[in-house]
Amino acid sequence: MSDENATVELDVTGSEPEPRRRLGRGARIGLIVAGSVVGVAALLVAADVIARGIAEQRVADEVRASLPAGVEGDVDVTIGGFSVITQYLSGTMERVSLSAPELVVDGAPLDVEVDLRGVPVDLGSPVDRLDATVSAEQDAVNSLVRVPNATGSITLGDATVGYEGALEVFGQSIAYQVTATPTAAGSEVLLQPVGVEIGAGGGSIDLSGIVERVLGGDPVAVCVAERLPAGVEVTDIAAAPGVVRVELEGSEITLDEAHLRQSGSCD
């Protein structure tokens, strides 16, 4: 037996790994530019977020400071549109929403939502359009509104408004209760009687004549303009049991103190 050690030959003649491809100069520049653009975009977005917050707080502070006497509460502001900075540079905000769910007017709580279009950066100039919704419960309505010649409280029903009154007939006061449908009429809300209940009267009095007199008369006009800034009108009203929702509209309304503290008129 041979004492020579066995040897194993390894095949090292295989191909070597290919060298890593290097990016061309153009590709490297493209990546740098893309990264720079993303970075700038991120900074612009961050700046716009900060600017939006500052602008919303400014509008909220100015509106709150301009509220009429007897009106108080927090006002939240949201500025719509893509870029607040671009809107600011143009001089006009596309859309601004105001929310005051716990606004108090002469002690009466209201839920107020306002949508403004075309709001100038200079709040001393008028906005293009105002749309608002005011919701109030029955107690608040009775604190703020009076039906002419009514003798009792207003009651809110299903698409109806109820109130009490009295007529003088042959020296005797006859009380009645009216159910009416409300209709928006700009500076007023019109109450058209659709039902009447008559209180006790003398046997010689024709109560049917009183019913015809109440139902056949003109709608009762309730002035609401004196509770609103000048130029704002009622466009719709919807009553439900214990609550009412009023839709408002206005144009060329200014959000400064002088205008917001000037109420409308039914004259």
Side-chain angles (χ1 to χ4, degrees):
M1 179 179 294
S2 172
D3 59 357
E4 292 182 357
N5 294 331
T7 62
V8 178
E9 294 184 358
L10 298 178
D11 184 6
V12 294
T13 62
S15 60
E16 296 183 359
E18 296 182 0
R20 294 180 62 184
R21 295 180 179 178
R22 295 183 179 180
L23 292 175
R25 185 181 178 210
R28 291 198 302 273
I29 294 176
L31 289 176
I32 294 173
V33 171
S36 299
V37 170
V38 171
V40 170
L43 289 175
L44 290 176
V45 170
D48 200 73
V49 169
I50 295 172
R52 189 179 298 271
I54 294 173
E56 290 175 345
Q57 188 60 52
R58 170 180 170 260
V59 174
D61 290 342
E62 294 201 22
V63 170
R64 191 181 302 112
S66 301
L67 293 175
V71 181
E72 57 185 16
D74 292 332
V75 179
D76 294 327
V77 175
T78 301
I79 297 177
F82 176 69
S83 170
V84 167
I85 294 176
T86 301
Q87 293 181 67
Y88 183 86
L89 293 176
S90 72
T92 303
M93 300 292 182
E94 296 175 9
R95 182 173 184 177
V96 177
S97 299
L98 310 178
S99 177
E102 297 180 353
L103 197 69
V104 178
V105 179
D106 292 336
L110 303 175
D111 181 352
V112 180
E113 301 290 332
V114 181
D115 185 66
L116 303 169
R117 301 297 181 99
V119 182
V121 173
D122 173 15
L123 295 182
S125 299
V127 302
D128 289 345
R129 180 181 175 86
L130 175 149
D131 294 285
T133 300
V134 178
S135 299
E137 296 185 355
Q138 185 168 286
D139 289 344
V141 173
N142 279 289
S143 296
L144 299 173
V145 178
R146 291 287 180 267
V147 176
N149 301 319
T151 59
S153 300
I154 298 171
T155 57
L156 300 173
D158 187 7
T160 62
V161 174
Y163 60 93
E164 299 174 355
L167 286 175
E168 192 77 16
V169 181
F170 299 122
Q172 184 175 353
S173 180
I174 305 298
Y176 60 85
Q177 295 179 331
V178 176
T179 301
T181 56
T183 303
S187 61
E188 301 172 322
V189 171
L190 302 180
L191 302 179
Q192 179 63 60
V194 293
V196 182
E197 293 183 6
I198 305 296
S204 61
I205 299 176
D206 183 4
L207 298 182
S208 64
I210 297 176
V211 172
E212 293 175 359
R213 180 175 172 181
V214 174
L215 292 180
D218 294 330
V220 176
V222 179
C223 180
V224 293
E226 57 194 19
R227 289 290 184 180
L228 302 172
V232 177
E233 296 185 337
V234 181
T235 57
D236 191 28
I237 181 169
V243 66
V244 66
R245 188 187 74 251
V246 179
E247 302 290 339
L248 307 172
E249 183 180 299
S251 59
E252 298 298 312
I253 305 299
T254 305
L255 301 181
D256 61 0
E257 181 177 352
H259 189 94
L260 292 182
R261 297 191 176 186
Q262 179 183 357
S263 59
S265 172
C266 293
D267 295 337

